[in-house]
Amino acid sequence: MNAPSSASHSEVDPSSSLVAPMEDPVHPDAQEEENDDEEEEEVCPDLVPSFSAIADKDGLANSAQKVPVTVITGYLGSGKTTLLNYVLTEEHNKKIAVILNEFGEGAIEEKSLAVGNEGQLYEEWLELRNGCLCCSVKDNGVKAIETLMERKGKFDYILLETTGLADPGPVASIFWMDEELGSDLYLDGVITVVDAKYALAHLREERPQGALNEALKQVAVADVILLNKTDLVDNLQDVRQEIQAINASAPVVETVKSRIDINLILDLHAYDGRAQMSVRPTKFDYVENGTPHLDASVGTVTLRQRGPMIWSKLEVFFQTLLWEEKVYDVEGRLAQILRLKALVPQEPPLPVLIVQGVHDTYDTYETSQQCQDGTIVLIGRHLDRDILERHLQEAMNS
Ligand SMILES: Nc1nc2c(ncn2[C@@H]2O[C@H](COP(=O)(O)OP(=O)(O)OP(=O)(O)O)[C@@H](O)[C@H]2O)c(=O)[nH]1
Ligand SMILES: [Zn+2]
């Protein structure tokens, strides 16, 4: 685990390196900044799910025992529940637990008061056909789910629908952090459902003091985006462009009634070494910098670095960016990272590393994927490519 003070966590699992600031890992992004619009329009490496086992034996053994959690987020009424229902009725050989929750809402203190004994915060379980289960957990703790598993037996898979106004970042981090602490659960991926008809309005909604709106955060941290309700819209070009300008690294799949090949959303392993990052140039790579024509305040910047990199130096760059709050854009606004991914070749025989980050927490994983050059994908706001590039070079040359 990677956090300003992570010693206690590395004792728990020395093979892992998840890093996050420890003061308040559940709500790491408390910055409120002035409102503005900025984005980079550029498409960069996608995280492509790999269904072949490329993790090492330990990694596989590890995730075999643990239950994957896919977080399903999206604005009010975008089609999250429709997606869950669809997954439950599709043919699959999994015993899936669906959890509707009020995760990540309210203060932790309030929640622990509400949890009561043994985290019994769930409502009635509904037994569905094909062995699936459904419930509503009114807790923001992993404990409640673990208690459920103790009572109901282990599931193969958990789908967790956040409320439409939730910021999925902290929710995702809960599972991620909890994995470090020996939980039975691990975060597989974040799926964001976008309402094609109202997305542009949602993404542009202003919040007091320039806070980021939920729709932006939901798109920014997505591993896969469903552009849903496409039957209601004639021209998808604008909304698709705006989504990709915000998060250039997540595949955007157009859907009606959230119908999607479930292989595209389950078992992504988006947060471990089994995710493959493919580096493919796209037309967006050639868009001029500094001439944004889309009205988004969150964007993606991709930095590339030739040849093998020294991880400890790259880590200095990440920590400067994520924790030290020393990186600004040209107008002096603090860079705020919502999601980060990197593919980092090291001098052989050191393995290639994948770095995954949500807000200010990041983790590294070894991958068997090969690459010559490093790629760093940053999604957030107030990201100025030239300034970020300079900080990266400073760190690499230190
Ligand atoms: N026309 C159309 N309607 C859809 C589509 N997908 C879902 N809906 C409808 O949109 C409404 C909201 O869908 P839900 O799945 O409940 O949305 P949700 O994201 O779970 O909503 P909340 O939980 O309230 O945030 C329902 O009436 C769905 O039937 C679609 O692709 N096209
Ligand atoms: Zn719903």
Side-chain angles (χ1 to χ4, degrees), residues 110-133:
E110 283 168 36
K111 293 294 176 188
S112 53
L113 281 180
V115 168
N117 299 332
E118 301 182 69
Q120 304 143 317
L121 270 177
Y122 52 94
E123 295 183 336
E124 277 302 285
W125 278 95
L126 303 173
E127 306 264 359
L128 305 173
R129 64 185 190 88
N130 67 15
C132 294
L133 293 162

mmCIF file of all heavy atoms in Angstrom, residues 110-133:
data_model
loop_
_atom_site.group_PDB
_atom_site.id
_atom_site.type_symbol
_atom_site.label_atom_id
_atom_site.label_comp_id
_atom_site.label_asym_id
_atom_site.label_seq_id
_atom_site.Cartn_x
_atom_site.Cartn_y
_atom_site.Cartn_z
ATOM 1 N N GLU A 110 -21.141 8.466 12.075
ATOM 2 C CA GLU A 110 -22.573 8.171 12.021
ATOM 3 C C GLU A 110 -22.813 6.715 11.665
ATOM 4 O O GLU A 110 -23.666 6.059 12.212
ATOM 5 C CB GLU A 110 -23.252 8.991 10.928
ATOM 6 C CG GLU A 110 -23.497 10.422 11.278
ATOM 7 C CD GLU A 110 -23.890 11.196 10.022
ATOM 8 O OE1 GLU A 110 -24.586 10.622 9.179
ATOM 9 O OE2 GLU A 110 -23.459 12.357 9.908
ATOM 10 N N LYS A 111 -22.020 6.255 10.691
ATOM 11 C CA LYS A 111 -22.211 4.896 10.209
ATOM 12 C C LYS A 111 -21.948 3.892 11.309
ATOM 13 O O LYS A 111 -22.699 2.961 11.505
ATOM 14 C CB LYS A 111 -21.276 4.605 9.032
ATOM 15 C CG LYS A 111 -21.600 5.408 7.811
ATOM 16 C CD LYS A 111 -22.953 5.011 7.254
ATOM 17 C CE LYS A 111 -23.306 5.897 6.092
ATOM 18 N NZ LYS A 111 -24.664 5.698 5.637
ATOM 19 N N SER A 112 -20.868 4.108 12.055
ATOM 20 C CA SER A 112 -20.534 3.091 13.044
ATOM 21 C C SER A 112 -21.604 3.065 14.140
ATOM 22 O O SER A 112 -21.867 2.026 14.721
ATOM 23 C CB SER A 112 -19.129 3.311 13.616
ATOM 24 O OG SER A 112 -19.021 4.624 14.077
ATOM 25 N N LEU A 113 -22.238 4.188 14.368
ATOM 26 C CA LEU A 113 -23.362 4.179 15.299
ATOM 27 C C LEU A 113 -24.496 3.337 14.735
ATOM 28 O O LEU A 113 -25.133 2.571 15.421
ATOM 29 C CB LEU A 113 -23.880 5.605 15.521
ATOM 30 C CG LEU A 113 -23.078 6.461 16.477
ATOM 31 C CD1 LEU A 113 -23.709 7.842 16.582
ATOM 32 C CD2 LEU A 113 -23.018 5.798 17.853
ATOM 33 N N ALA A 114 -24.716 3.501 13.441
ATOM 34 C CA ALA A 114 -25.835 2.820 12.807
ATOM 35 C C ALA A 114 -25.579 1.333 12.615
ATOM 36 O O ALA A 114 -26.512 0.562 12.488
ATOM 37 C CB ALA A 114 -26.139 3.466 11.464
ATOM 38 N N VAL A 115 -24.341 0.938 12.622
ATOM 39 C CA VAL A 115 -24.016 -0.452 12.312
ATOM 40 C C VAL A 115 -24.558 -1.424 13.346
ATOM 41 O O VAL A 115 -25.060 -2.482 13.011
ATOM 42 C CB VAL A 115 -22.480 -0.653 12.169
ATOM 43 C CG1 VAL A 115 -22.137 -2.120 12.149
ATOM 44 C CG2 VAL A 115 -21.990 0.007 10.906
ATOM 45 N N GLY A 116 -24.511 -1.022 14.617
ATOM 46 C CA GLY A 116 -25.015 -1.919 15.646
ATOM 47 C C GLY A 116 -24.140 -3.152 15.768
ATOM 48 O O GLY A 116 -22.991 -3.143 15.351
ATOM 49 N N ASN A 117 -24.717 -4.209 16.280
ATOM 50 C CA ASN A 117 -23.933 -5.423 16.491
ATOM 51 C C ASN A 117 -23.610 -6.109 15.183
ATOM 52 O O ASN A 117 -24.464 -6.245 14.330
ATOM 53 C CB ASN A 117 -24.706 -6.408 17.369
ATOM 54 C CG ASN A 117 -24.994 -5.825 18.729
ATOM 55 O OD1 ASN A 117 -24.228 -4.976 19.210
ATOM 56 N ND2 ASN A 117 -26.103 -6.227 19.324
ATOM 57 N N GLU A 118 -22.396 -6.545 15.062
ATOM 58 C CA GLU A 118 -21.993 -7.401 13.951
ATOM 59 C C GLU A 118 -22.337 -6.869 12.575
ATOM 60 O O GLU A 118 -22.489 -7.628 11.630
ATOM 61 C CB GLU A 118 -22.651 -8.793 14.063
ATOM 62 C CG GLU A 118 -22.308 -9.510 15.334
ATOM 63 C CD GLU A 118 -22.948 -10.876 15.344
ATOM 64 O OE1 GLU A 118 -22.500 -11.717 14.533
ATOM 65 O OE2 GLU A 118 -23.882 -11.097 16.117
ATOM 66 N N GLY A 119 -22.489 -5.586 12.459
ATOM 67 C CA GLY A 119 -22.729 -5.006 11.138
ATOM 68 C C GLY A 119 -23.979 -5.508 10.444
ATOM 69 O O GLY A 119 -23.999 -5.695 9.237
ATOM 70 N N GLN A 120 -25.055 -5.755 11.224
ATOM 71 C CA GLN A 120 -26.277 -6.263 10.574
ATOM 72 C C GLN A 120 -27.073 -5.129 9.979
ATOM 73 O O GLN A 120 -28.070 -4.718 10.531
ATOM 74 C CB GLN A 120 -27.169 -6.988 11.574
ATOM 75 C CG GLN A 120 -26.470 -8.096 12.282
ATOM 76 C CD GLN A 120 -26.919 -8.163 13.712
ATOM 77 O OE1 GLN A 120 -27.052 -7.149 14.382
ATOM 78 N NE2 GLN A 120 -27.156 -9.364 14.202
ATOM 79 N N LEU A 121 -26.634 -4.652 8.865
ATOM 80 C CA LEU A 121 -27.318 -3.503 8.316
ATOM 81 C C LEU A 121 -28.069 -3.816 7.052
ATOM 82 O O LEU A 121 -28.645 -2.959 6.439
ATOM 83 C CB LEU A 121 -26.309 -2.403 8.043
ATOM 84 C CG LEU A 121 -26.138 -1.506 9.246
ATOM 85 C CD1 LEU A 121 -25.080 -0.471 8.968
ATOM 86 C CD2 LEU A 121 -27.447 -0.826 9.581
ATOM 87 N N TYR A 122 -28.037 -5.046 6.674
ATOM 88 C CA TYR A 122 -28.695 -5.388 5.431
ATOM 89 C C TYR A 122 -30.186 -5.577 5.658
ATOM 90 O O TYR A 122 -30.647 -5.852 6.752
ATOM 91 C CB TYR A 122 -28.098 -6.663 4.847
ATOM 92 C CG TYR A 122 -28.068 -7.797 5.817
ATOM 93 C CD1 TYR A 122 -29.112 -8.720 5.853
ATOM 94 C CD2 TYR A 122 -27.026 -7.934 6.721
ATOM 95 C CE1 TYR A 122 -29.090 -9.746 6.760
ATOM 96 C CE2 TYR A 122 -27.006 -8.953 7.628
ATOM 97 C CZ TYR A 122 -28.038 -9.858 7.649
ATOM 98 O OH TYR A 122 -28.031 -10.871 8.561
ATOM 99 N N GLU A 123 -30.896 -5.441 4.573
ATOM 100 C CA GLU A 123 -32.315 -5.723 4.646
ATOM 101 C C GLU A 123 -32.538 -7.165 4.233
ATOM 102 O O GLU A 123 -31.610 -7.932 4.129
ATOM 103 C CB GLU A 123 -33.063 -4.742 3.742
ATOM 104 C CG GLU A 123 -32.912 -3.333 4.275
ATOM 105 C CD GLU A 123 -33.691 -2.314 3.480
ATOM 106 O OE1 GLU A 123 -33.973 -2.573 2.309
ATOM 107 O OE2 GLU A 123 -34.006 -1.274 4.055
ATOM 108 N N GLU A 124 -33.768 -7.505 3.974
ATOM 109 C CA GLU A 124 -34.073 -8.885 3.603
ATOM 110 C C GLU A 124 -33.284 -9.360 2.391
ATOM 111 O O GLU A 124 -33.136 -8.636 1.420
ATOM 112 C CB GLU A 124 -35.569 -9.000 3.268
ATOM 113 C CG GLU A 124 -36.443 -9.180 4.472
ATOM 114 C CD GLU A 124 -36.047 -10.402 5.272
ATOM 115 O OE1 GLU A 124 -36.351 -11.505 4.810
ATOM 116 O OE2 GLU A 124 -35.425 -10.251 6.339
ATOM 117 N N TRP A 125 -32.865 -10.587 2.466
ATOM 118 C CA TRP A 125 -32.269 -11.191 1.274
ATOM 119 C C TRP A 125 -33.366 -11.727 0.382
ATOM 120 O O TRP A 125 -34.328 -12.316 0.859
ATOM 121 C CB TRP A 125 -31.385 -12.379 1.671
ATOM 122 C CG TRP A 125 -30.055 -11.943 2.114
ATOM 123 C CD1 TRP A 125 -29.657 -11.715 3.383
ATOM 124 C CD2 TRP A 125 -28.948 -11.669 1.281
ATOM 125 N NE1 TRP A 125 -28.363 -11.304 3.391
ATOM 126 C CE2 TRP A 125 -27.902 -11.276 2.117
ATOM 127 C CE3 TRP A 125 -28.737 -11.711 -0.110
ATOM 128 C CZ2 TRP A 125 -26.656 -10.934 1.629
ATOM 129 C CZ3 TRP A 125 -27.492 -11.373 -0.583
ATOM 130 C CH2 TRP A 125 -26.463 -10.994 0.270
ATOM 131 N N LEU A 126 -33.206 -11.497 -0.861
ATOM 132 C CA LEU A 126 -34.109 -12.105 -1.820
ATOM 133 C C LEU A 126 -33.330 -13.195 -2.535
ATOM 134 O O LEU A 126 -32.246 -12.941 -3.028
ATOM 135 C CB LEU A 126 -34.564 -11.069 -2.857
ATOM 136 C CG LEU A 126 -35.232 -9.825 -2.304
ATOM 137 C CD1 LEU A 126 -35.463 -8.820 -3.422
ATOM 138 C CD2 LEU A 126 -36.542 -10.195 -1.634
ATOM 139 N N GLU A 127 -33.886 -14.377 -2.530
ATOM 140 C CA GLU A 127 -33.225 -15.448 -3.257
ATOM 141 C C GLU A 127 -33.736 -15.404 -4.693
ATOM 142 O O GLU A 127 -34.934 -15.471 -4.937
ATOM 143 C CB GLU A 127 -33.553 -16.805 -2.635
ATOM 144 C CG GLU A 127 -33.248 -16.872 -1.159
ATOM 145 C CD GLU A 127 -31.891 -17.472 -0.867
ATOM 146 O OE1 GLU A 127 -31.178 -17.855 -1.822
ATOM 147 O OE2 GLU A 127 -31.527 -17.562 0.309
ATOM 148 N N LEU A 128 -32.842 -15.265 -5.607
ATOM 149 C CA LEU A 128 -33.238 -15.170 -7.007
ATOM 150 C C LEU A 128 -32.948 -16.490 -7.691
ATOM 151 O O LEU A 128 -32.234 -17.332 -7.168
ATOM 152 C CB LEU A 128 -32.454 -14.054 -7.696
ATOM 153 C CG LEU A 128 -32.560 -12.698 -7.005
ATOM 154 C CD1 LEU A 128 -31.614 -11.710 -7.656
ATOM 155 C CD2 LEU A 128 -33.989 -12.193 -7.070
ATOM 156 N N ARG A 129 -33.508 -16.629 -8.889
ATOM 157 C CA ARG A 129 -33.216 -17.868 -9.589
ATOM 158 C C ARG A 129 -31.744 -17.874 -9.995
ATOM 159 O O ARG A 129 -31.075 -16.882 -9.889
ATOM 160 C CB ARG A 129 -34.153 -18.059 -10.795
ATOM 161 C CG ARG A 129 -34.007 -17.019 -11.874
ATOM 162 C CD ARG A 129 -35.073 -17.260 -12.915
ATOM 163 N NE ARG A 129 -34.826 -16.423 -14.075
ATOM 164 C CZ ARG A 129 -34.052 -16.801 -15.080
ATOM 165 N NH1 ARG A 129 -33.465 -17.981 -15.078
ATOM 166 N NH2 ARG A 129 -33.851 -15.987 -16.095
ATOM 167 N N ASN A 130 -31.254 -18.942 -10.442
ATOM 168 C CA ASN A 130 -29.847 -19.257 -10.693
ATOM 169 C C ASN A 130 -28.918 -18.897 -9.525
ATOM 170 O O ASN A 130 -27.785 -18.521 -9.708
ATOM 171 C CB ASN A 130 -29.350 -18.732 -12.054
ATOM 172 C CG ASN A 130 -29.306 -17.200 -12.151
ATOM 173 O OD1 ASN A 130 -29.377 -16.506 -11.136
ATOM 174 N ND2 ASN A 130 -29.187 -16.698 -13.357
ATOM 175 N N GLY A 131 -29.465 -19.077 -8.323
ATOM 176 C CA GLY A 131 -28.599 -19.005 -7.146
ATOM 177 C C GLY A 131 -28.141 -17.623 -6.749
ATOM 178 O O GLY A 131 -27.286 -17.459 -5.903
ATOM 179 N N CYS A 132 -28.684 -16.607 -7.396
ATOM 180 C CA CYS A 132 -28.247 -15.261 -7.049
ATOM 181 C C CYS A 132 -28.988 -14.754 -5.817
ATOM 182 O O CYS A 132 -30.037 -15.243 -5.458
ATOM 183 C CB CYS A 132 -28.471 -14.310 -8.213
ATOM 184 S SG CYS A 132 -27.436 -14.697 -9.614
ATOM 185 N N LEU A 133 -28.397 -13.758 -5.238
ATOM 186 C CA LEU A 133 -28.958 -13.183 -4.027
ATOM 187 C C LEU A 133 -29.010 -11.689 -4.186
ATOM 188 O O LEU A 133 -28.244 -11.103 -4.920
ATOM 189 C CB LEU A 133 -28.037 -13.498 -2.843
ATOM 190 C CG LEU A 133 -27.953 -14.963 -2.452
ATOM 191 C CD1 LEU A 133 -26.714 -15.185 -1.614
ATOM 192 C CD2 LEU A 133 -29.192 -15.359 -1.684
#
